[in-house]
């Protein structure tokens, strides 16, 4: 029995059969509008998604939305609980959901709601497509060469939160063990953290990245790591990545070394190249030679930095879409925060959430609707009808509100 969530009376649930998503013509999809600017960008984006679906399928398909609660709205409804269990249960049950940004109350021992959500549903792959839309202000000379999809491991590495503060009894115990049993040394007052990277979790992430490359006709998967220094965590991630490719995808993949050793540098028809790069040089390469990269799979902290750095090349996090995905359950999300000073002003750029919805439409294979938005989007930017954040980077642009930007995209799709 649900306390506050009301499943729509019409619409059917998305299911998983034989390992594949089964999407009805009238799927129920969950949404969390989010805090701060969340309601503004959700309202605007929903109008665009619905218009695209209507235009693409002429009434034959329709999304039935189910509002779910997290963050401040949940706190008001569920007696101060920002993270109600029933929201998690319904996301799991509906398989696909989209969410606006959530504020994490400062102090009081609150964990980030986003991190909690990823952990509770084991959404192990954080996926960030980074591509350029013509007209978007960019610091790059050739931003059109940037078209990568970053798969960042979401559950391990330094984000697993195994840390012991300097001076604590736990720290003392661990320090004693490390010194006495493992003969390692470090400063007496050092804070200590553990960086777990496992074979199973590395492999499932790389498996998903390779499968994505296959499904989307991508040319390469680059494993990004710092294995030259952290051999048994980052280096192991690299080794396990190559292992998955060899053991499970040998018919469609080839390593970069094989391309050179056996084919003189020419990539055989139909093969996806598996290569690896050390994280530091990767940051440089992604700026200087972005066209060499396609799908990227990496550990948590590298992926954290790399996703935002890559997004900056094509317009910043204001437009970067994202998703956190388990084997099937997927939560799409705006990648920026709640920007509370702009709450309810109908002012900010809805692009991050809007384009996360495009990812969602592709995930449920409603590609025609997704492409309508993707095609209309750059035309609106090119015409200079943009929100304040883009306008300040462009010459002669007309500043429009969040809702007018959405209307401009809808008009463009219909024209
Ligand atoms: P933020 O909300 O992302 O805002 C920082 C600045 O980024 C804004 O002041 C604004 O810049 C710009 N910005 C963000 N979204 C924009 C949009 N849609 N359109 C145009 N500009 C946009 O970061 P924050 O101030 O550090 O964090 C605020 C709250 O959000 C915190 O409670 C944090 O925990 C939370 N947060 C949530 C998520 C999430 O739910 N995924 C992610 C990050 C942070 P200007 O001031 O220059 O206009």
């Amino acid at each position: 029995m649900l306390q506050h969530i009301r499943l729509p009376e019409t619409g059917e649930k998305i299911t998983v059969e034989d390992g594949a998503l089964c999407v009805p013509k009238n799927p129920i999809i969950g949404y969390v509008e989010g805090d701060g600017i969340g309601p503004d960008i959700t309202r605007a984006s929903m109008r665009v998604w619905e218009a695209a679906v209507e235009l693409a399928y002429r009434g034959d398909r329709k999304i039935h939305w189910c509002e779910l609660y997290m963050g401040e709205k949940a706190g008001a409804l569920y007696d101060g609980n920002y993270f109600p269990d029933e929201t998690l249960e319904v996301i799991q049950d509906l398989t696909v959901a989209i969410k606006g940004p959530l504020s994490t109350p400062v102090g009081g021992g609150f964990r980030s709601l986003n991190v909690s959500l990823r952990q509770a549903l084991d959404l192990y792959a954080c996926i960030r497509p980074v591509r350029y839309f013509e007209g978007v202000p960019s610091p790059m000379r050739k931003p059109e060469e940037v078209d990568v999809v970053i798969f960042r491991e979401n559950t391990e590495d330094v984000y697993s939160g195994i840390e012991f503060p300097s001076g604590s009894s736990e720290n003392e115990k661990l320090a004693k063990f490390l010194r006495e049993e493992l003969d390692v040394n470090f400063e007496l007052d050092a804070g200590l953290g553990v960086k777990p990277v496992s074979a199973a979790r590395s492999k499932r992430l790389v498996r998903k990245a390779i499968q994505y490359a296959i499904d989307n006709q991508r040319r390469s998967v680059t494993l990004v790591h710092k294995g030259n220094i952290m051999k048994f965590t980052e280096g192991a991630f690299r080794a396990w990545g190559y292992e998955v490719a060899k053991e499970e995808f040998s018919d469609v993949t080839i390593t970069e070394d094989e391309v050179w050793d056996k084919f003189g540098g020419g990539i055989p028809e139909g093969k996806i190249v598996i290569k690896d790069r050390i994280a530091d040089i990767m940051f440089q390469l992604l700026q200087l030679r972005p066209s060499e990269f396609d799908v990227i799979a990496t550990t948590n902290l590298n992926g954290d930095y790399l996703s935002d750095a890559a997004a900056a090349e094509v317009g910043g996090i204001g437009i970067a879409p994202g998703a956190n995905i388990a084997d099937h359950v997927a939560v799409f999300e705006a990648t920026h925060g709640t920007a509370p000073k702009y709450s309810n002003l109908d002012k900010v750029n809805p692009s991050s959430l809007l384009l996360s919805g495009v990812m969602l439409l592709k995930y449920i294979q409603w590609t025609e609707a997704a492409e309508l938005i993707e095609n209309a989007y750059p035309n609106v930017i090119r015409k200079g009808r943009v929100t304040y954040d883009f306008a300040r980077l462009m010459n002669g642009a007309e500043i429009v509100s969040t809702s007018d930007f959405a209307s401009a995209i809808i008009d463009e799709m219909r024209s």
Side-chain angles (χ1 to χ4, degrees):
M1 177 70 181
L2 296 170
Q3 196 183 352
H4 292 294
I5 297 173
R6 297 285 165 264
L7 288 177
E9 282 167 14
T10 50
E12 290 172 61
K13 290 178 188 168
I14 294 173
T15 54
V16 178
E17 281 164 37
D18 295 330
L21 225 53
C22 295
V23 182
K25 287 182 174 180
N26 52 352
I28 303 176
I29 292 182
Y31 76 95
V32 177
E33 65 175 16
D35 300 326
I37 56 174
D40 274 351
I41 59 175
T42 302
R43 243 187 328 269
S45 301
M46 257 186 191
R47 282 175 43 226
V48 179
W49 302 326
E50 286 177 357
V53 169
E54 170 60 29
L55 269 175
Y57 309 113
R58 304 276 165 204
D60 190 42
R61 298 184 194 179
K62 185 175 170 17
I63 294 174
H64 296 251
W65 297 105
C66 174
E67 181 161 16
L68 311 172
Y69 307 100
M70 277 180 78
E72 289 166 10
K73 200 164 180 179
L77 277 173
Y78 296 82
D79 219 6
N81 183 357
Y82 278 58
F83 192 57
D85 285 345
E86 68 174 23
T87 293
L88 290 179
E89 284 158 28
V90 175
I91 293 176
Q92 193 103 44
D93 189 36
L94 297 179
T95 314
V96 175
I98 188 159
K99 61 175 269 299
L102 297 167
S103 53
T104 298
V106 179
F110 277 101
R111 289 202 69 188
S112 153
L113 295 175
N114 296 304
V115 174
S116 304
L117 180 68
R118 288 170 203 170
Q119 290 186 342
L121 296 174
D122 195 25
L123 304 172
Y124 59 83
C126 175
I127 305 176
R128 293 268 204 104
V130 183
R131 60 161 282 201
Y132 181 65
F133 287 99
E134 208 189 316
V136 172
S138 158
M140 302 279 284
R141 270 194 304 152
K142 292 185 182 169
E144 64 281 2
E145 290 185 356
V146 183
D147 185 5
V148 296
V149 183
I150 301 173
F151 282 69
R152 164 189 170 202
E153 208 289 325
N154 245 348
T155 68
E156 291 198 305
D157 196 357
V158 289
Y159 266 52
S160 41
I162 311 174
E163 281 200 303
F164 304 101
S166 170
S168 67
S169 62
E170 293 88 348
N171 179 304
E172 246 171 62
K173 270 189 217 160
L174 181 59
K176 186 170 183 305
F177 174 78
L178 292 171
R179 286 204 181 89
E180 292 175 8
E181 303 290 325
L182 301 181
D183 198 25
V184 289
N185 218 348
F186 40 84
E187 294 289 340
L188 277 178
D189 64 351
L192 297 175
V194 178
K195 176 183 168 82
V197 175
S198 70
R201 292 184 181 206
S202 300
K203 283 186 172 184
R204 69 180 178 174
L205 189 268
V206 176
R207 183 177 300 118
K208 208 177 235 329
I210 296 177
Q211 191 59 53
Y212 178 92
I214 295 169
D215 294 344
N216 293 278
Q217 293 84 47
R218 294 287 185 147
R219 295 157 298 139
S220 69
V221 176
T222 305
L223 307 168
V224 177
H225 60 90
K226 189 72 186 164
N228 53 330
I229 306 296
M230 291 169 273
K231 297 185 193 310
F232 309 121
T233 50
E234 297 276 329
F237 174 85
R238 169 188 178 274
W240 288 321
Y242 278 116
E243 240 173 76
V244 177
K246 191 170 170 205
E247 287 167 3
E248 301 176 29
F249 299 98
S250 60
D251 51 335
V252 285
T253 61
I254 184 167
T255 65
E256 192 173 40
D257 284 350
E258 286 170 331
V259 168
W260 286 104
D261 294 348
K262 296 185 189 163
F263 299 95
I267 301 165
E269 186 69 22
K271 293 279 190 185
I272 293 165
V273 179
I274 309 293
K275 51 189 176 182
D276 74 277
R277 295 290 181 273
I278 291 175
D280 41 341
I281 193 67
M282 186 64 190
F283 277 81
Q284 177 169 319
L285 292 173
L286 208 50
Q287 292 178 62
L288 299 181
R289 297 182 349 224
S291 60
E292 291 179 11
F293 301 98
D294 203 329
V295 175
I296 292 168
T298 189
T299 47
N300 192 298
L301 188 61
N302 294 332
D304 192 10
Y305 299 152
L306 203 57
S307 309
D308 280 13
E313 297 181 358
V314 297
I317 56 161
I319 80 155
N324 293 295
I325 302 191
D327 285 341
H328 300 289
V329 173
V331 180
F332 297 81
E333 68 173 5
T335 55
H336 54 72
T338 57
K341 66 183 175 187
Y342 296 128
S343 301
N344 303 314
L345 296 182
D346 193 21
K347 179 179 169 86
V348 294
N349 193 339
S351 300
S352 174
L353 188 69
L354 177 69
L355 297 173
S356 299
V358 169
M359 286 177 81
L360 184 158
L361 290 168
K362 288 183 181 171
Y363 189 70
I364 62 170
Q365 296 192 1
W366 290 15
T367 319
E368 300 81 2
E371 285 175 354
L372 275 173
I373 301 173
E374 278 185 332
N375 293 336
Y377 186 85
N379 291 341
V380 173
I381 308 277
R382 221 179 289 118
K383 287 177 184 167
R385 305 204 63 203
V386 292
T387 45
Y388 80 96
D389 53 320
F390 277 9
R392 66 188 170 192
L393 301 170
M394 295 163 74
N395 290 327
E398 175 196 353
I399 299 179
V400 299
S401 64
T402 311
S403 51
D404 283 346
F405 183 71
S407 301
I409 293 177
I410 295 170
D411 291 346
E412 187 65 35
M413 287 193 296
R414 290 184 176 146
S415 66

